[in-house]
Structures are given as structure tokens and as C-alpha cells.
Amino acid sequence: MSAFIYAATRTPFGRFNGALAGVRPDDLAAAAITSTLATVPGLDPAAIDDVVWGNANGAGEENRNVGRMAALLAGLPVSVPGSTVNRLCGSSLDAAMTASRLVESGDAEVVLTGGVESMTRAPWVLPKPAKGFPAGDVTAVSTTLGWRLVNPRMPKEWTVSLGEANERLRERFGITRERQDAFAARSHRLAHAAWESGFYDDLVAPVEGVDLTRDEGIRAGSTPEVLAGLKPVFRTPEQGGTITAGNASPLNDGASAVLIGSEAAAAAIGADPVARIAGRGVMALEPQDFGYAPVEAANRALARAGIGWDQVGAVEINEAFAVQSLACLDAWKVDPAVVNQKGGAIAIGHPLGASGGRVLGTLAKVLRETGQRYGVAAICIGVGQGLAVVLENCAVTGVKA
């Protein structure tokens, strides 16, 4: 039995402290659920067997199983269960992979997946003292991004910042600042063009009560020359620093949703499947090498799909950093023209738990638009992991309801 994508939508991705800052993450998740189900009006929500939701933080308003909370807030019947998975940046792609296994095993016919992150509203946390009434000060720790409350037993090379880890990756593969800036400028140019052409019109639904219809971080006028003027963030120029705020993904708020079902579920959903989940892959490396983990994850997914890179016509890789994206593309030896054809996370944004659903939904539509048969969605994940999914275009294979 195979698992298929039937529908996918997302909210616009807002900037940190931007237009979506006033929206709770559980409400963002509910908005993505509502907009996705609106695309399949024939589906009785009671027929949804499970909700599997991704979230990377879990420390704030999305606590206590945001997948279940979002389903309730979206008005799904109380009989529809829900769970939340956390694989950091890959959480919503992991959710979709979990759902596909549920369908393939016969444990479910229809599963609603997705993910959410409000990096703006991520709280500060205070660790509890080892014993009562400490005399000294206590420091509040931000949960927005990166390591926090690190176990002292962790080797220090594992717990370097995400940016420093990618500066090391840049040194390892000799990826220049110029290549990174050019890649970042391309992301903005293609994202802007995709919005102007209407590509995202049916993939992105505004959040009720918020005046935001497009991704907030896209800078149409971004060029390599403009980006070259930005200062490195994680190392000084004297230290060889190349990663800037312009060639890395920003902090964002947003949610995405993907409806997955069996071939037989088409009748209940009232729509034809869009793409078949043909292969899945997961890989883990040393934590500081997380940016390179998608390489083998994608290779494994392709092997399980029974195809090679020469048959792949579209790639969506989450652009956490330009340098790690380029390192992966160089390893795969794919045509850069088929990669992130509608822009990527550097321009669109990277609300951690929502990005996997975004790349998967975008890939499915790109395959339909281009007529290519196979595509790969891949994402790097902090603490040394990577995920990838191979999609097969149902318009090519002729699978219909």
C-alpha cells in the first residue's frame, strides 16, 4: 500500500516580531489545518484517523501536545486524535513521514500532518535550582533557537553554535562568501517571482485577523552586491567569517499542513492524489555536521524509491544556511536550476517546526507545474540529523480517484 499527498497549504511566514507576532502558535497551527481542509470540502473531518504535528520548541504556548490542541481549536471533532513530534527543524517532515508509514501499514487511511513555530513568542525559561532558596541570581534562557541548558557531559565541539558549525562546513568544502551571497540573492529573486506569478496563491492562506498575505521576509531587490556589504555574524572578517544575516535563514513565525492518505481514501477525501511518497531517508552525523546530513538522507530515500539522481527533476532543500545548502547540492551533483525553483528559506523564512511541511507542499506543486515525475524534499536538522522524502508525481503516473 502506498501513501499519497492530497492537499497542502501554509500560512504566510512572518518575520521575527513581525506581522504574526501577536498570534499564538496553537492558533497558527489551527489556521493551517483550516486552510488545508478548505481545499478538500468533500472530506468529513470525522474521517481523519489521526493528526501528527511537528514543533521544535514545545516550551511555550505550544506546550502540552500542540497537535491535539490545534485540531481542537480548528474545530475538528473531539474524536480525531492528535500527537506532536519533535525532530527540531525536520519536525513537520518527520510528521509527514510518520503519517505515510501509518497509511502504508494500514493503521490509517487519512492523516493530517503539519507543523508550527512561533520563534517570536518562544519564551525564556528558568531552570529549577538543585536545592531550595538559592542565594545567587538566576539567568533566564531564550528558547528561540539553538542550544540551551546544555548537559556539561556533551563534548564542546558538539555544542558550537549553528553558525559556527556552518563556518566549519564552509572551511571543509571551500565554499566562498561570493557563492553564498549569490545563492541567497537567487532565493529572494525566485521567491518574489513565484509570488508575482501566482504560484503561491493556492498554497498560502492568510491568518484571520492578520494583514499579511505574502511571506514577510522576501526582499525583491536583494543582490549579491548588496549582500556582500553585510558583516559576518559568527566570526569576524579577520577570522575568515562568511556567514551573514543575508545568506542564512532568518527567525520566523508560521505553520504548514499536509493531508496524507491511501489511494482508496480518494473517495472519502473527494479529490485526486497529488503525489506519492515514494521513498524516505534519515541520516545522523556528529552534531556539528548537521548541515551535511541531508546528503545521505536523500541518497537513502532515492535508493528506497528505486531511482537515482538522474531521474530527479525537482529538489526542495530547506535553506537553513546558504553554505550547507551548497555543500549538499555539490555532493548530489544536481542541476542547480531544478533546486528551490520558487525560492527557499533564506527568503521565505524558516519557522522551525513548519519548514518540512512547506518544502513538501511546494515540491508537490512544482512537480505538477513542471510535469517532472520525481522530486526530493530534504532538510537539515540541528544536533546532526537530516531527513529526505522522494515524491512521485501522480499526474505522470495517472493515479486518480
Side-chain angles (χ1 to χ4, degrees):
M1 185 182 295
S2 293
F4 296 84
I5 292 175
Y6 280 86
T9 69
R10 62 177 177 88
T11 70
F13 285 177
R15 291 176 178 167
F16 185 83
N17 206 27
L20 296 178
V23 185
R24 289 174 56 111
D26 46 3
D27 285 327
L28 282 175
I33 290 174
T34 300
S35 64
T36 297
L37 294 183
T39 67
V40 284
L43 173 64
D44 179 358
I48 298 172
D49 293 305
D50 207 351
V51 173
V52 186
W53 209 255
N55 178 248
N57 200 323
E61 294 160 331
E62 72 279 73
N63 74 90
R64 301 291 292 171
N65 188 1
V66 68
R68 171 65 170 167
M69 300 300 179
L72 294 172
L73 289 167
L76 270 61
V78 296
S79 58
V80 177
S83 66
T84 301
V85 299
N86 184 349
R87 204 190 287 257
L88 300 180
C89 301
S91 295
S92 53
L93 193 59
D94 203 17
M97 293 166 72
T98 297
S100 67
R101 295 184 188 105
L102 289 172
V103 170
E104 290 171 7
S105 69
D107 285 347
E109 290 291 326
V110 181
V111 184
L112 182 62
T113 79
V116 66
E117 211 73 50
S118 175
M119 300 179 80
T120 298
R121 298 175 73 91
W124 296 288
V125 298
L126 287 173
K128 287 184 176 179
K131 54 185 177 181
F133 309 111
D137 296 334
V138 179
T139 301
V141 178
S142 173
T143 65
T144 298
L145 179 70
W147 292 90
R148 79 281 310 242
L149 305 177
V150 179
N151 190 315
R153 293 176 55 231
M154 284 278 188
K156 291 195 180 301
E157 62 267 25
W158 285 2
T159 61
V160 297
S161 73
L162 304 178
E164 171 59 23
N166 276 275
E167 287 285 13
R168 296 182 184 187
L169 194 67
R170 183 265 308 167
E171 289 177 323
R172 176 179 167 189
F173 292 106
I175 296 172
T176 66
R177 166 75 183 268
E178 290 73 23
R179 280 192 73 194
Q180 295 176 57
D181 287 345
F183 184 84
R186 174 185 185 268
S187 183
H188 285 280
R189 174 172 54 83
L190 293 181
H192 175 70
W195 271 108
E196 289 295 297
S197 72
F199 175 85
Y200 284 117
D201 288 353
D202 61 355
L203 275 181
V204 180
V207 178
E208 186 176 355
V210 177
D211 185 20
L212 182 67
T213 58
R214 292 190 177 189
D215 302 307
E216 198 173 12
I218 298 172
R219 299 186 296 276
S222 189
T223 65
E225 293 74 25
V226 170
L227 294 175
L230 299 178
K231 293 182 178 180
V233 175
F234 303 99
R235 292 184 183 179
T236 66
E238 293 73 25
Q239 294 170 324
T242 63
I243 298 175
T244 71
N247 59 34
S249 61
L251 307 179
N252 296 96
D253 309 327
S256 64
V258 181
L259 184 68
I260 293 174
S262 66
E263 185 174 353
I269 294 172
D272 291 331
V274 175
R276 182 176 73 91
I277 296 177
R280 298 174 294 258
V282 59
M283 181 62 182
L285 303 172
E286 292 210 25
Q288 71 273 22
D289 294 332
F290 74 94
Y292 200 62
V295 171
E296 185 58 24
N299 290 340
R300 292 180 178 187
L302 287 168
R304 286 164 184 155
I307 64 170
W309 278 107
D310 60 328
Q311 294 171 270
V312 173
V315 176
E316 287 290 326
I317 182 170
N318 189 59
E319 298 168 354
F321 295 83
V323 64
Q324 63 82 207
S325 300
L326 289 166
C328 292
L329 302 185
D330 289 349
W332 293 328
K333 296 180 173 58
V334 295
D335 180 356
V338 307
V339 178
N340 294 0
Q341 299 170 55
K342 307 301 178 180
I346 289 173
I348 292 167
H350 179 24
L352 309 180
S355 289
R358 179 192 71 79
V359 297
L360 198 61
T362 301
L363 178 63
K365 186 169 182 183
V366 166
L367 290 175
R368 299 284 283 197
E369 181 181 82
T370 62
Q372 294 293 325
R373 180 168 183 172
Y374 291 107
V376 173
I379 195 164
C380 68
I381 302 164
V383 201
Q385 298 190 85
L387 291 177
V389 169
V390 175
L391 293 185
E392 183 179 31
N393 184 358
C394 289
V396 174
T397 58
V399 176
K400 293 184 177 295

